[in-house]
């Protein structure tokens, strides 16, 4: 019997100098635990002088999580936060009732040709907490589990007996696992929903091979083993299963369609707060975009 419940193949977006692969939301499945949006980007080496420039844009009723394997990103937000994201540091931005942020390659990185390789995920905020105050945290002191040829960083939640200090608004697990040749690590039944993504190398779950950049949703209620023959990097994610549908449109996620409509009007009429140090640009509200999508 397969340990894999479902395999989601990413939609690939070629952005010129780097590729973004989106596996959630998908037609077959909208969420894994609180994760409602999962992008993997790179690895890429950008041209000298080039860089990533994501102009200020808004979010509501979700939290964004940025995790890098290589490179650096300057984060600015409407709380006045400035943070340079680097490998080993988790950036958690809780949008709550509303936040605006930008993401750009640092000037020093541009001079050398920026590298980009990492993960961008969104977590839906649970019922009753969608409109909490916006917040930001950048954490580098994360638990590291090492066992021979296996190393895991616990980014969020509790895994392998260690808990990350990162805030969780709903029960969440998130980890980066690096396996050496012949390495293995247990995947315990510690969440309502779990999934793994191979982002480099080769790996299998109880003998079932994973394909690079696909999201393999694991069967609930079963302990498994993640192993690699030649070495691998794998992301593990999941957590509490949501029972209330979420609606999504552009950068907005909410349990309320009306709340999303309000956020559209607020951004169109420039009622969101500004990003200090990055006030002169912003991404306009998409006009004529697809209708709001509901994820059961």
């Amino acid at each position: 019997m397969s340990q894999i419940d479902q395999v989601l193949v990413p939609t690939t977006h070629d952005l010129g100098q780097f590729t973004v692969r989106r596996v959630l939301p998908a037609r077959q499945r909208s969420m894994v635990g609180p994760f409602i949006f999962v992008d993997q980007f790179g690895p890429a080496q950008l041209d000298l002088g080039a860089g990533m420039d994501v102009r200020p844009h808004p979010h509501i009723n979700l939290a964004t999580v940025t995790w890098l394997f290589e490179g650096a990103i300057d984060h600015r937000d409407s709380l006045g936060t400035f943070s340079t994201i680097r490998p080993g540091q988790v950036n958690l931005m809780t949008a709550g009732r509303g936040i605006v942020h930008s993401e750009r390659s640092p000037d020093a990185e541009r001079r050398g040709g920026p590298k980009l390789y990492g993960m961008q995920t969104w977590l839906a905020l649970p019922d009753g907490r969608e409109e909490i105050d916006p917040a930001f945290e950048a954490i580098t002191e994360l638990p590291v589990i090492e066992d021979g040829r296996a190393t895991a960083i616990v980014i969020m939640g509790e895994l392998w007996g260690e808990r990350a200090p990162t805030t969780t608004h709903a029960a969440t697990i998130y980890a980066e696992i690096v396996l050496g040749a012949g390495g293995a690590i247990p995947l315990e039944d510690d969440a309502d929903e779990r999934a793994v993504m191979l982002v480099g190398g080769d790996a299998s779950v109880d003998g079932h091979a994973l394909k690079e950049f696909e999201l393999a949703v694991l069967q609930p209620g079963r302990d498994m083993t993640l192993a690699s023959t030649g070495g691998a990097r794998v992301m593990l994610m999941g957590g509490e299963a949501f029972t209330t549908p979420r609606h999504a449109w552009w950068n907005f996620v909410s349990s309320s369609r009306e709340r999303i409509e309000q956020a559209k009007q607020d951004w169109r009429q420039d009622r969101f707060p500004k990003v200090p140090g990055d006030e002169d640009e912003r991404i306009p509200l998409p006009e004529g975009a697809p209708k709001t999508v509901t994820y059961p």
Side-chain angles (χ1 to χ4, degrees):
M1 183 177 182
S2 175
Q3 305 282 45
I4 310 297
D5 247 0
Q6 196 173 34
V7 175
L8 304 179
V9 178
T11 301
T12 300
H13 303 273
D14 185 351
L15 302 184
Q17 295 194 53
F18 67 99
T19 298
V20 176
R21 304 168 186 89
R22 180 164 301 165
V23 289
L24 280 180
R27 182 177 55 82
Q28 312 97 303
R29 188 184 188 104
S30 58
M31 298 175 70
V32 176
F35 289 83
I36 195 169
F37 176 101
V38 175
D39 271 5
Q40 186 280 328
F41 52 89
Q45 175 81 56
L46 279 61
D47 292 340
L48 294 177
M52 181 182 76
D53 283 293
V54 181
R55 294 168 291 161
H57 58 281
H59 292 287
I60 62 163
N61 293 187
L62 58 84
T64 68
V65 184
T66 307
W67 182 256
L68 296 179
F69 310 129
E70 286 186 302
I73 298 173
D74 279 348
H75 163 99
R76 286 182 169 87
D77 65 40
S78 52
L79 299 174
T81 306
F82 173 78
S83 175
T84 299
I85 312 167
R86 299 188 185 279
Q89 171 183 309
V90 57
N91 269 33
L92 174 70
M93 185 186 75
T94 301
R97 56 184 165 79
I99 200 168
V100 181
H101 74 133
S102 65
E103 298 161 294
R104 302 181 186 271
S105 296
D107 289 342
E109 296 283 320
R110 293 174 193 266
R111 291 193 291 271
K115 293 181 179 180
L116 280 176
Y117 185 24
M119 305 289 299
Q120 177 75 56
T121 59
W122 296 355
L123 308 179
L125 294 179
D127 294 349
R129 304 209 71 201
E130 292 180 287
E131 294 289 331
I132 60 177
D133 290 342
F136 177 86
E137 59 192 60
I139 297 174
T140 55
E141 297 299 319
L142 297 167
V144 178
I145 291 90
E146 296 184 273
D147 183 13
R149 288 166 286 187
T151 301
I153 303 174
V154 182
I155 302 168
M156 298 182 75
E158 184 173 356
L159 289 159
W160 304 289
E162 298 284 347
R163 175 171 287 279
T166 317
T167 299
T168 54
H169 302 290
T172 306
I173 57 169
Y174 195 29
E176 177 189 345
I177 303 167
V178 176
L179 299 176
I185 195 168
L187 301 178
E188 298 167 349
D189 174 31
D190 43 22
D192 292 346
E193 298 176 340
R194 299 167 296 165
V196 290
M197 178 191 284
L198 175 67
V199 294
D202 72 87
S204 62
V205 175
D206 282 5
H208 299 272
L210 303 176
K211 291 185 179 180
E212 197 170 38
F213 305 125
E214 294 183 349
L215 191 69
V217 182
L218 306 180
Q219 284 197 347
R222 304 180 69 181
D223 291 343
M224 309 174 193
T225 299
L226 177 72
S228 176
T229 301
R233 174 181 275 117
V234 178
M235 300 303 293
L236 168 65
M237 65 191 74
E240 173 185 342
F242 278 37
T243 56
T244 305
R246 287 298 183 271
H247 311 290
W249 190 91
W250 192 41
N251 297 314
F252 305 138
V253 169
S254 179
S255 62
S256 165
R257 284 179 176 273
E258 292 73 20
R259 181 66 182 90
I260 289 178
E261 291 302 316
Q262 181 62 57
K264 290 182 189 180
Q265 291 303 318
D266 288 344
W267 186 246
R268 185 181 285 119
Q269 297 179 22
D270 203 20
R271 290 196 291 253
F272 273 86
K274 303 290 187 183
V275 177
D278 205 350
E279 304 97 336
D280 297 335
E281 291 187 291
R282 70 178 203 150
I283 299 176
L285 188 80
E287 300 294 347
K291 292 183 178 179
T292 304
V293 178
T294 301
Y295 298 118

